[in-house]
Amino acid sequence: FLFLFLNINTQENELSPFLAKTISGANLRAEPDENSEKKEMLKIGDDLYVFSDYEINGYVKSIDIKTNKLGWIKSFAIKKIKDIPLSTSSGFQESGTSSSYDTEVEISNKSSSIISLIVGNNYFSLEPHSKTTETTENGTLYYTASAPGVQPSSGKYVFEQGHKYVWTFSIVTRRR
């Protein structure tokens, strides 16, 4: 289990995700800065989930769909393919009240992949077939769920102070 606090807030800007492809080789970086740690070298044609076209220092916040790595890429290195609508069903279910002031979320990963869930400013990563309970901010928050090789899903949900929620991740394969 991994927990990180994201110091650059997507909540300040409307989440308007889209699929993109890299049009040049580029580094996925830990922060929107060319001196930041290189998380991965992306090749031409790699698929990305981009949170919005909002830039910081010429970088956009992205997830490499193949590896599920979260980072920042130069905006000139990508081409927008299509918009991704926000999900209308969040998967969060209220499950009572919390014994604390905070909002609690019980996260279950029923898949065989390591998954990531971003809720507001919090990043949670869970091993396959695991469960954890975490706290998050209150209010209307954006969330994004992702796993390697799977197109991420995003939406927003109202988290009430002192309430508990349950969220379960599974991967459904559809054949065309």
Side-chain angles (χ1 to χ4, degrees):
F1 173 74
L2 173 69
F3 170 77
L4 297 171
F5 181 75
L6 301 178
N7 62 359
I8 298 186
N9 188 351
T10 305
Q11 297 298 120
E12 293 172 1
N13 308 294
E14 284 295 312
L15 183 67
S16 52
F18 59 91
L19 287 179
K21 284 199 178 287
T22 53
I23 56 173
S24 67
N27 290 312
L28 187 68
R29 297 197 176 266
E31 299 293 333
D33 181 323
E34 75 177 51
N35 295 318
S36 173
E37 169 195 351
K38 294 177 188 174
K39 296 180 94 175
E40 181 175 14
M41 177 62 183
L42 299 171
K43 298 181 287 270
I44 294 173
D46 282 349
D47 294 317
L48 296 171
Y49 172 93
V50 181
F51 288 81
S52 77
D53 59 6
Y54 177 75
E55 295 181 25
I56 296 177
N57 298 330
Y59 288 83
V60 291
K61 188 175 179 181
S62 308
I63 295 173
D64 173 27
I65 293 175
K66 181 177 165 188
T67 64
N68 196 36
K69 288 186 180 175
L70 173 67
W72 296 83
I73 187 169
K74 282 284 197 181
S75 62
F76 67 75
I78 65 170
K79 177 182 178 184
K80 183 177 184 176
I81 303 301
K82 70 175 184 176
D83 290 321
I84 301 172
L86 294 180
S87 176
T88 55
S89 75
S90 72
F92 291 98
Q93 297 177 353
E94 191 170 343
S95 67
T97 57
S98 170
S99 59
S100 74
Y101 175 84
D102 296 320
T103 299
E104 293 181 4
V105 180
E106 180 184 284
I107 307 164
S108 296
N109 180 4
K110 297 201 182 264
S111 78
S112 58
S113 298
I114 296 173
I115 61 113
S116 300
L117 176 63
I118 300 168
V119 179
N121 289 317
N122 299 299
Y123 176 91
F124 308 104
S125 178
L126 271 76
E127 294 294 321
H129 308 289
S130 65
K131 184 188 294 190
T132 186
T133 300
E134 300 297 330
T135 59
T136 190
E137 309 97 279
N138 305 311
T140 302
L141 304 176
Y142 288 111
Y143 66 87
T144 300
S146 61
V150 177
Q151 179 180 306
S153 177
S154 292
K156 60 182 173 179
Y157 190 78
V158 178
F159 294 90
E160 295 185 40
Q161 177 183 336
H163 287 246
K164 287 184 183 179
Y165 299 88
V166 174
W167 183 82
T168 302
F169 184 93
S170 59
I171 297 174
V172 178
T173 304
R174 292 189 181 112
R175 304 211 188 274
R176 293 179 188 204

